[in-house]
Structures are given as C-alpha cells and as structure tokens.
Amino acid sequence: MVAKLLNGKQLAEKIRNDLAEKAASLSARVGRPPGLAAILVGEDSASQLYVSKKHQACQEAGFHSELIQLSASISQDEILKKVRDLNRAATIDGILVQLPLPKGMDENAVLETVAPEKDVDGFHPQNLGKLMAGQAGFVAATPKGVMRLLQEYGVKIAGKHVVIVGRSTIVGKPLALLMLQADATVTVCHSKTKNLKEFTKQADILVAAVGKAGLITADHVKDGAVVVDVGTSRVGTKLKGDVDFDSVKQTASWITPVPGGVGPMTIAMLLENTFDAYVTKNKL
Ligand code: GUN
C-alpha cells in the first residue's frame, strides 16, 4: 500500500480563504477586523520564522496583526506589563506569546497573565482545564489542526487505537484529550517509554510529536496505519519531520508530509481561534 497524502497545506489555504472572506464582511459591521498580537522575546531563529509566518498569514487574511519583538534582556515584569496592556487593547482579540521564552523567564507566569478570552494559543490553565473537563474553550492550534485534518479527510477516530509519541503541553497532552473526546483509545509514549516500537506498531493512528528527525521508520508502523507527523527539525537547510516519510509511506494508508502537513494547519487554526475570539467579543 502506498499512503495517500493528508495535505495540510491545501486544507489550511481553504480555511484561511474562508476566514478572510468572513472577516471582510464582519469588519464592515464591527468597524474593525479581527486582531492578533504576537509577542516574541529574544533572537531564536526558529521562533522568529514561526512568528513572522503567523504575522504574514494574519495580514493575508485581512486581520490586524501586531508583532511585538522584545529583547532577551527584558525583565519578566516588563513582559507581564506588555501582556496586561494587550489584555486591555480594544483592537486585539488574540494574544500569543511565542515559546520557548529565553532561559530564566517564568513561562507559566507569563501564560497565566494572558486574559483567557484572548488566549488563542489555548495555553492558559483555564483553557487547559476546560479541555480536560470537556468544556468549550480555546484549544491549542497544533492539536486542533491535527483533529481537523483527520476529520476533513474522513479518517474515523471512534474506537481506534491512537498512539501519540510526545507528551508536551503544546501538542501531546492536549491531543490525547481531544482523541479521548473523539472516542479513541489513547496511548501516550515519551522519552522514557521502553520498547517504543511495541506501542507504535499497535497504532491505527500514529502521531509523532517529538522533534527528532526520522525517529519513526517503517518498522514502527502497522500496515495501513494513519501517520501524522507533528515534528519539525532543521537538518542542514531542510525541514525534517519525526517520520521517515519515504519508508513509512510504503506501508501507511494516510500520511502527512513535512513540510506541508500539520505546520500550515497550526497557522490556520490560530487564525480561526482569533476569529472566534473576535466573534465572541463582538457578540456576532
Ligand atoms: N512554540 C512552538 N509551538 C508553538 C505554538 O503553537 N505557539 C506558541 N506560542 N509557541 C510555540
């Protein structure tokens, strides 16, 4: 079996175009477009690239977008002050603080300061708690993007064994909760898991979210499995996923490419969350 492609790039484009259309018609009514503020602290080149992609996507969708670049030497209090200012800003519906923050900064303190109703990254404990409780709230863009991609391609989740490799608060843990909500049986593996292959080979749907290029090879994957690659690592000038695409595509039924899979979905879901915050705030 040669796997079919879960084309995140194509789907993300469609979602972004739909959002642009909706934002244009509502902007006329509200008197302003949806607004996102992104805070980037320090000079991390990967973070700079991610944030500029998000900023550009907002502009292309006709959203108001503020990119706030702060020096790594800024104090924690100054960052908190900036977040509080954005919490009050009338033109801003969504706030994202690009992670990781420079060493020595208290990430939790910063994330907890973002107003939950503007927390379009879904990282505030209130939104994480709502996800745990099965209540409506903002869901982090990457796991939300994985769910949407599978749904749009008609991949059934109920009753399936989903194996997630990676237990981050940004991807692995929220994705496990979303999969449970969708009636999957969920296994979460991580860096201390013994005999990883024994688990991954049982997966009907295998999600790799570790950040180790080529970790998952064909012998980790059951014939006909659906394989979702969330990992991104720079290898030389290339972006590589956690999945060895060329070997795994020979046995999987569906597979996401890197680039062009989950990455573009993350950006589309961030825009969707910002749009939803705008709709809620303006009671549309
Ligand atoms: N760092 C890695 N992924 C993300 C993300 O989705 N949002 C933010 N804010 N930072 C990240």
Side-chain angles (χ1 to χ4, degrees), residues 54 96-100 121 123 142 170 266:
K54 293 170 186 179
L96 83 84
V97 180
Q98 187 65 29
L99 302 180
D121 253 339
F123 294 166
T142 302
I170 294 181
T266 295

Side-chain angles (χ1 to χ4, degrees), residues 184-250:
T185 301
V186 181
T187 300
V188 180
C189 302
H190 48 78
S191 52
K192 299 285 191 296
T193 299
K194 295 193 176 110
N195 303 322
L196 179 65
K197 245 180 238 181
E198 280 178 23
F199 293 97
T200 58
K201 276 188 89 74
Q202 291 177 37
D204 301 311
I205 301 173
L206 176 61
V207 183
V210 177
K212 265 194 181 174
L215 173 75
I216 303 295
T217 51
D219 55 342
H220 288 80
V221 181
K222 180 169 82 174
D223 262 6
V226 175
V227 179
V228 178
D229 191 352
V230 182
T232 49
S233 317
R234 293 236 151 248
V235 178
T237 57
K238 283 205 159 161
L239 198 62
K240 289 277 180 191
D242 288 349
V243 175
D244 178 30
F245 184 86
D246 290 337
S247 71
V248 173
K249 77 164 191 253
Q250 304 300 333

Side-chain angles (χ1 to χ4, degrees), residues 5 10 16 25 64 88 90 131 160 163 170 176 179 183 195 201 206 214 222 235 253 257 264:
L5 218 55
Q10 199 175 58
R16 284 166 54 177
S25 77
H64 168 66
R88 285 189 296 268
L131 176 61
K160 297 287 171 61
V163 177
I170 294 181
M179 288 292 186
D183 296 326
N195 303 322
K201 276 188 89 74
L206 176 61
K222 180 169 82 174
V235 178
S253 58

Side-chain angles (χ1 to χ4, degrees), residues 67-191:
L67 178 48
I68 296 137
Q69 289 181 276
L70 303 172
S71 151
S73 63
I74 195 171
S75 72
Q76 173 100 4
D77 280 350
E78 284 173 285
I79 300 180
L80 296 184
K81 181 179 177 310
K82 189 72 225 172
V83 172
R84 289 193 191 102
D85 288 347
L86 293 168
N87 285 343
R88 285 189 296 268
T91 55
I92 297 299
D93 303 288
I95 301 169
L96 83 84
V97 180
Q98 187 65 29
L99 302 180
L101 288 173
K103 276 205 178 67
M105 283 186 188
D106 182 349
E107 242 165 48
N108 286 334
V110 176
L111 296 177
E112 281 174 26
T113 303
V114 175
E117 67 277 12
K118 292 193 177 186
D119 172 39
V120 289
D121 253 339
F123 294 166
H124 189 286
Q126 183 172 312
N127 284 315
L128 291 169
K130 283 186 170 177
L131 176 61
M132 171 76 92
Q135 295 174 19
F138 286 114
V139 174
T142 302
K144 188 177 177 186
V146 170
M147 299 305 287
R148 182 69 60 81
L149 191 56
L150 295 174
Q151 185 187 13
E152 289 287 328
Y153 277 90
V155 174
K156 297 280 180 285
I157 292 171
K160 297 287 171 61
H161 186 188
V162 175
V163 177
I164 300 168
V165 188
R167 55 174 158 176
S168 69
T169 310
I170 294 181
V171 184
K173 281 194 262 186
L175 185 61
L177 292 170
L178 292 170
M179 288 292 186
L180 279 174
Q181 245 167 47
D183 296 326
T185 301
V186 181
T187 300
V188 180
C189 302
H190 48 78
S191 52

